[in-house]
mmCIF file of all heavy atoms in Angstrom:
data_model
loop_
_atom_site.group_PDB
_atom_site.id
_atom_site.type_symbol
_atom_site.label_atom_id
_atom_site.label_comp_id
_atom_site.label_asym_id
_atom_site.label_seq_id
_atom_site.Cartn_x
_atom_site.Cartn_y
_atom_site.Cartn_z
ATOM 1 N N ALA A 658 18.564 25.679 4.333
ATOM 2 C CA ALA A 658 17.929 25.789 5.568
ATOM 3 C C ALA A 658 18.925 25.831 6.727
ATOM 4 O O ALA A 658 18.807 26.600 7.646
ATOM 5 C CB ALA A 658 16.940 24.619 5.784
ATOM 6 N N SER A 704 25.257 -8.970 -3.409
ATOM 7 C CA SER A 704 26.185 -9.702 -2.581
ATOM 8 C C SER A 704 27.254 -10.265 -3.480
ATOM 9 O O SER A 704 26.937 -10.626 -4.656
ATOM 10 C CB SER A 704 25.373 -10.730 -1.820
ATOM 11 O OG SER A 704 24.529 -10.190 -0.865
ATOM 12 N N TRP A 741 19.986 11.667 6.269
ATOM 13 C CA TRP A 741 20.229 10.263 6.358
ATOM 14 C C TRP A 741 21.610 9.846 5.883
ATOM 15 O O TRP A 741 21.923 10.307 4.713
ATOM 16 C CB TRP A 741 19.103 9.546 5.654
ATOM 17 C CG TRP A 741 17.816 9.701 6.385
ATOM 18 C CD1 TRP A 741 16.805 10.572 6.034
ATOM 19 C CD2 TRP A 741 17.364 8.973 7.470
ATOM 20 N NE1 TRP A 741 15.742 10.502 6.963
ATOM 21 C CE2 TRP A 741 16.015 9.548 7.846
ATOM 22 C CE3 TRP A 741 17.837 7.945 8.268
ATOM 23 C CZ2 TRP A 741 15.300 8.990 8.920
ATOM 24 C CZ3 TRP A 741 16.992 7.402 9.391
ATOM 25 C CH2 TRP A 741 15.752 7.971 9.575
ATOM 26 N N TRP A 761 14.516 -10.564 4.396
ATOM 27 C CA TRP A 761 13.550 -9.531 4.440
ATOM 28 C C TRP A 761 13.359 -8.999 5.900
ATOM 29 O O TRP A 761 13.621 -9.738 6.862
ATOM 30 C CB TRP A 761 12.155 -10.189 4.083
ATOM 31 C CG TRP A 761 11.976 -10.631 2.727
ATOM 32 C CD1 TRP A 761 12.680 -10.185 1.580
ATOM 33 C CD2 TRP A 761 11.079 -11.525 2.192
ATOM 34 N NE1 TRP A 761 12.373 -10.800 0.459
ATOM 35 C CE2 TRP A 761 11.305 -11.690 0.756
ATOM 36 C CE3 TRP A 761 10.096 -12.344 2.694
ATOM 37 C CZ2 TRP A 761 10.603 -12.468 0.015
ATOM 38 C CZ3 TRP A 761 9.273 -13.186 1.920
ATOM 39 C CH2 TRP A 761 9.556 -13.274 0.550
ATOM 40 N N PRO A 798 25.157 -0.666 15.883
ATOM 41 C CA PRO A 798 23.830 -0.708 15.182
ATOM 42 C C PRO A 798 23.970 -0.759 13.645
ATOM 43 O O PRO A 798 23.027 -1.191 13.010
ATOM 44 C CB PRO A 798 23.239 0.578 15.604
ATOM 45 C CG PRO A 798 24.311 1.527 16.074
ATOM 46 C CD PRO A 798 25.337 0.585 16.656
ATOM 47 N N GLY A 849 14.250 -15.846 25.151
ATOM 48 C CA GLY A 849 15.078 -16.064 26.307
ATOM 49 C C GLY A 849 15.912 -14.888 26.588
ATOM 50 O O GLY A 849 15.945 -13.877 25.710
ATOM 51 N N THR A 863 4.139 -22.324 23.395
ATOM 52 C CA THR A 863 5.325 -21.671 22.904
ATOM 53 C C THR A 863 5.031 -20.713 21.720
ATOM 54 O O THR A 863 5.463 -19.613 21.837
ATOM 55 C CB THR A 863 6.437 -22.679 22.464
ATOM 56 O OG1 THR A 863 6.663 -23.534 23.514
ATOM 57 C CG2 THR A 863 7.672 -22.036 21.905
ATOM 58 N N GLY A 875 3.389 -8.399 8.352
ATOM 59 C CA GLY A 875 3.928 -7.215 8.881
ATOM 60 C C GLY A 875 3.460 -6.780 10.244
ATOM 61 O O GLY A 875 3.182 -5.645 10.536
ATOM 62 N N LYS A 880 3.703 0.030 22.780
ATOM 63 C CA LYS A 880 3.021 0.254 24.079
ATOM 64 C C LYS A 880 3.035 1.732 24.397
ATOM 65 O O LYS A 880 4.071 2.397 24.456
ATOM 66 C CB LYS A 880 3.688 -0.515 25.156
ATOM 67 C CG LYS A 880 3.036 -0.449 26.493
ATOM 68 C CD LYS A 880 3.786 -1.408 27.490
ATOM 69 C CE LYS A 880 3.153 -1.403 28.849
ATOM 70 N NZ LYS A 880 3.858 -2.283 29.856
ATOM 71 N N TRP A 894 0.571 -7.191 -1.064
ATOM 72 C CA TRP A 894 1.717 -6.312 -1.003
ATOM 73 C C TRP A 894 2.104 -5.635 -2.246
ATOM 74 O O TRP A 894 2.725 -4.644 -2.390
ATOM 75 C CB TRP A 894 2.899 -7.089 -0.363
ATOM 76 C CG TRP A 894 3.576 -8.069 -1.237
ATOM 77 C CD1 TRP A 894 3.210 -9.431 -1.294
ATOM 78 C CD2 TRP A 894 4.606 -7.953 -2.168
ATOM 79 N NE1 TRP A 894 4.072 -10.064 -2.245
ATOM 80 C CE2 TRP A 894 4.880 -9.159 -2.754
ATOM 81 C CE3 TRP A 894 5.413 -6.879 -2.573
ATOM 82 C CZ2 TRP A 894 5.939 -9.390 -3.720
ATOM 83 C CZ3 TRP A 894 6.446 -7.015 -3.511
ATOM 84 C CH2 TRP A 894 6.719 -8.225 -4.062
ATOM 85 N N VAL A 938 9.621 9.771 20.127
ATOM 86 C CA VAL A 938 10.744 10.509 20.516
ATOM 87 C C VAL A 938 10.905 10.413 22.066
ATOM 88 O O VAL A 938 9.905 10.795 22.716
ATOM 89 C CB VAL A 938 10.538 11.931 20.105
ATOM 90 C CG1 VAL A 938 11.750 12.906 20.555
ATOM 91 C CG2 VAL A 938 10.393 12.090 18.562
ATOM 92 N N ALA A 947 7.076 5.098 10.107
ATOM 93 C CA ALA A 947 7.907 4.843 8.869
ATOM 94 C C ALA A 947 7.174 3.764 8.180
ATOM 95 O O ALA A 947 6.763 2.800 8.731
ATOM 96 C CB ALA A 947 9.293 4.458 9.243
ATOM 97 N N SER A 957 5.380 -2.022 -10.829
ATOM 98 C CA SER A 957 6.170 -3.127 -10.327
ATOM 99 C C SER A 957 6.009 -3.259 -8.842
ATOM 100 O O SER A 957 6.070 -2.292 -8.161
ATOM 101 C CB SER A 957 7.570 -2.861 -10.658
ATOM 102 O OG SER A 957 8.410 -3.832 -9.948
ATOM 103 N N ALA A 964 9.107 6.275 3.483
ATOM 104 C CA ALA A 964 8.410 7.558 3.900
ATOM 105 C C ALA A 964 8.301 7.637 5.331
ATOM 106 O O ALA A 964 8.168 6.537 6.029
ATOM 107 C CB ALA A 964 7.113 7.704 3.165
ATOM 108 N N THR A 982 2.048 12.212 3.162
ATOM 109 C CA THR A 982 2.438 13.444 2.509
ATOM 110 C C THR A 982 3.685 13.244 1.635
ATOM 111 O O THR A 982 4.323 12.225 1.753
ATOM 112 C CB THR A 982 2.800 14.454 3.578
ATOM 113 O OG1 THR A 982 4.160 14.109 4.162
ATOM 114 C CG2 THR A 982 1.765 14.659 4.674
ATOM 115 N N LEU A 991 17.117 14.425 18.443
ATOM 116 C CA LEU A 991 16.748 13.676 19.657
ATOM 117 C C LEU A 991 17.149 14.510 20.887
ATOM 118 O O LEU A 991 18.160 15.240 20.883
ATOM 119 C CB LEU A 991 17.478 12.312 19.582
ATOM 120 C CG LEU A 991 16.965 11.300 18.716
ATOM 121 C CD1 LEU A 991 17.919 10.160 18.488
ATOM 122 C CD2 LEU A 991 15.618 10.708 19.174
#
Side-chain angles (χ1 to χ4, degrees):
S704 295
W741 292 93
W761 294 339
T863 302
K880 185 179 183 181
W894 73 270
V938 179
S957 170
T982 72
L991 287 163

